[in-house]
Amino acid sequence: MSQTLETGYVAVDGGELYYEAVGSGLPLVFIHAGVADSRMWDAQVAHFSPKYRVIRYDTRGFGRSKTEAVSFSNRQDLLAVLDHCKVDQAILIGNSRGGSIAIDSTLSFPDRVKGLVVLGSGLGGFGSEEIPPDLVEPIGKMQAAQEAKDWALLAELEARFWADGPNQPAGRADNAVYEAVRSMTYENFINQPVEADAQPLDPPAIGRLAEIQVPLLIFIGLLDEADCVEAAKYLAEHVTNAQYVAFPDVAHMVSLEKPQEFNRIIDEFIDRNHL
């Protein structure tokens, strides 16, 4: 039986957010990484939409969403998507900065969140400002490319760093994973000329993890950047109902590298927690 795909834009202050929704039942809302857009979730939409209502969107400044040079809240943007889609409660699933948005949103409006899934996630207030010695060279190359506005080179460097993993050999990840990250990143660079100012959660999430009362599923690839790996362990230790799943041979893009295992573990998480 074919499903009707709903697409459109959600109006927000100083911008509009592109979204897609398909399926029915328990809502799952997918929030993409900073080196991607909502297309990174294609395999998840195909897998979950026959059983659940699957919603994905391009966050402000990414993909097909549009913004003016305004101060804004990613949390309020997500809330606008939930309201537009008439979703009372959802499971939030976020990769990288998308995971950080999901965590911060759970803290900001806990009554709207039924469960939480994060992969390679950021965590507000966690990590060091200093660049580790082993990352000085690759991060320096990315900064130089950014200053030169060499978007093609920067997209390649970002994709190698996040898809292959920091200091991993080029081509460690499947080429399709690398190319997906590279192409989405490049399009974001050239199609999003205006940069809006995202307001962080205050106080940050790191000191508020005891407030998370919903089931939490944490994915991490152990070839990921060290702060991401440590943040995942910290989350597992400081959130009451947390499940930690580590992949030794995966970097930042867990759902792209291991889509079948990723989807299966989420199915089991939903069933086990009666969500």
Side-chain angles (χ1 to χ4, degrees):
M1 186 174 69
S2 63
Q3 295 174 306
T4 301
L5 175 66
E6 175 188 339
T7 68
Y9 287 87
V10 179
V12 289
D13 289 342
E16 56 181 10
L17 307 176
Y18 176 79
Y19 80 97
E20 296 181 357
V22 64
S24 60
L26 173 68
L28 311 183
V29 179
F30 289 85
I31 313 169
H32 63 81
V35 287
D37 59 40
S38 60
R39 291 175 294 176
M40 71 168 284
W41 304 115
D42 284 353
Q44 283 64 54
V45 173
H47 176 84
F48 290 109
S49 60
K51 298 175 284 186
Y52 306 111
R53 187 174 187 207
V54 176
I55 299 166
R56 57 176 164 173
Y57 71 105
D58 291 331
T59 60
R60 191 187 298 240
F62 294 81
R64 282 172 274 189
S65 292
K66 302 179 180 70
T67 188
E68 299 168 10
V70 296
S71 177
F72 77 102
S73 163
N74 275 305
R75 303 170 298 284
Q76 290 301 314
D77 280 2
L78 172 56
L79 195 59
V81 172
L82 295 178
D83 288 345
H84 180 87
C85 294
K86 296 180 172 56
V87 171
D88 292 328
Q89 275 194 321
I91 295 176
L92 304 182
I93 302 167
N95 185 191
S96 193
R97 70 182 285 277
S100 183
I101 293 169
I103 291 167
D104 290 354
S105 297
T106 301
L107 294 168
S108 298
F109 37 90
D111 57 317
R112 304 295 293 272
V113 180
K114 197 174 181 67
L116 185 57
V117 179
V118 297
L119 45 150
S121 178
L123 177 60
F126 187 90
S128 171
E129 294 284 321
E130 295 184 13
I131 300 174
D134 64 318
L135 298 185
V136 168
E137 183 180 354
I139 290 178
K141 289 180 178 178
M142 287 188 278
Q143 290 173 337
Q146 184 168 17
E147 289 167 8
K149 294 183 167 51
D150 188 341
W151 306 127
L153 175 60
L154 181 55
E156 291 174 10
L157 293 171
E158 292 266 12
R160 288 296 175 207
F161 189 92
W162 296 110
D164 286 332
N167 296 318
Q168 293 295 313
R172 195 245 5 124
D174 187 281
N175 189 63
V177 175
Y178 162 79
E179 180 56 29
V181 174
R182 188 208 61 78
S183 61
M184 287 186 285
T185 301
Y186 179 67
E187 289 176 28
N188 285 332
F189 287 146
I190 64 171
N191 294 331
Q192 296 285 347
V194 176
E195 192 164 334
D197 183 24
Q199 295 302 301
L201 181 66
D202 186 24
I206 191 169
R208 302 177 56 183
L209 297 180
E211 297 175 35
I212 297 178
Q213 297 298 311
V214 296
L216 168 64
L217 174 58
I218 304 157
F219 289 96
I220 189 66
L222 297 182
L223 300 182
D224 202 347
E225 189 268 335
D227 270 356
C228 293
V229 175
E230 293 306 314
K233 295 175 183 175
Y234 191 90
L235 276 171
E237 292 166 0
H238 290 83
V239 176
T240 303
N241 187 3
Q243 177 187 354
Y244 173 88
V245 179
F247 291 92
D249 56 343
V250 172
H252 198 58
M253 312 303 290
V254 175
S255 63
L256 291 179
E257 285 207 64
K258 300 287 185 181
Q260 292 177 324
E261 294 94 324
F262 178 78
N263 295 344
R264 174 183 56 78
I265 293 167
I266 290 179
D267 278 328
E268 293 169 354
F269 169 77
I270 291 172
D271 290 342
R272 185 174 58 257
N273 289 284
H274 308 291
L275 298 175

